Amino acid sequence: MEYLNAFLCGGLLCAVGQIIIDKTALTPARILAGYVVAGVLLQAVGVYQYLVDWGGAGATVPLTGFGYTLARGVAKAVEEQGLLGALTGGLSATAGGITAATFFGLLAALLFRPGEKR
């Protein structure tokens, strides 16, 4: 059941993004930023945790999950370190994901050669 919930949650988030792309003039970059901000805002008001509990990886892997992780990291760091945590918490919480994305992007760039689209 966890796999089905993750598929439904992630699929729904992607479907909403696709509808926004198709029906509006927003650029993909603005939609990306909007998804991250939406994740932060939903976590700030306490709603996103319910989505994570239900959807698991389907809620934490998409861009809204990145915003959720940023907000959660900031909240935890502010609890532990005070105001300084507002500046460091988000980076500390997302460092592993950012490092993995950078590493695998570099690996793909080294292994594959770009070609012209035909």
Side-chain angles (χ1 to χ4, degrees):
M1 196 63 179
E2 289 179 33
Y3 293 122
L4 179 62
N5 289 349
F7 175 77
L8 292 173
C9 183
L12 182 64
L13 289 170
C14 292
V16 169
Q18 187 63 50
I19 291 168
I20 293 170
I21 288 171
D22 292 343
K23 301 293 183 186
T24 68
L26 291 174
T27 63
R30 289 181 185 214
I31 296 168
L32 178 148
Y35 262 44
V36 173
V37 170
V40 169
L41 293 176
L42 290 173
Q43 175 60 19
V45 297
V47 174
Y48 205 80
Q49 186 61 48
Y50 295 113
L51 190 61
V52 170
D53 292 341
W54 174 75
T60 59
V61 172
L63 290 168
T64 51
F66 183 71
Y68 155 77
T69 304
L70 281 171
R72 203 176 81 206
V74 167
K76 180 179 177 190
V78 167
E79 252 181 45
E80 295 172 358
Q81 302 169 0
L83 188 57
L84 183 62
L87 303 173
T88 62
L91 293 175
S92 298
T94 59
I98 293 170
T99 302
T102 304
F103 172 76
F104 288 115
L106 175 65
L107 186 64
L110 293 174
L111 293 177
F112 301 103
R113 299 274 178 219
E116 287 188 29
K117 291 185 178 182
R118 296 176 192 199

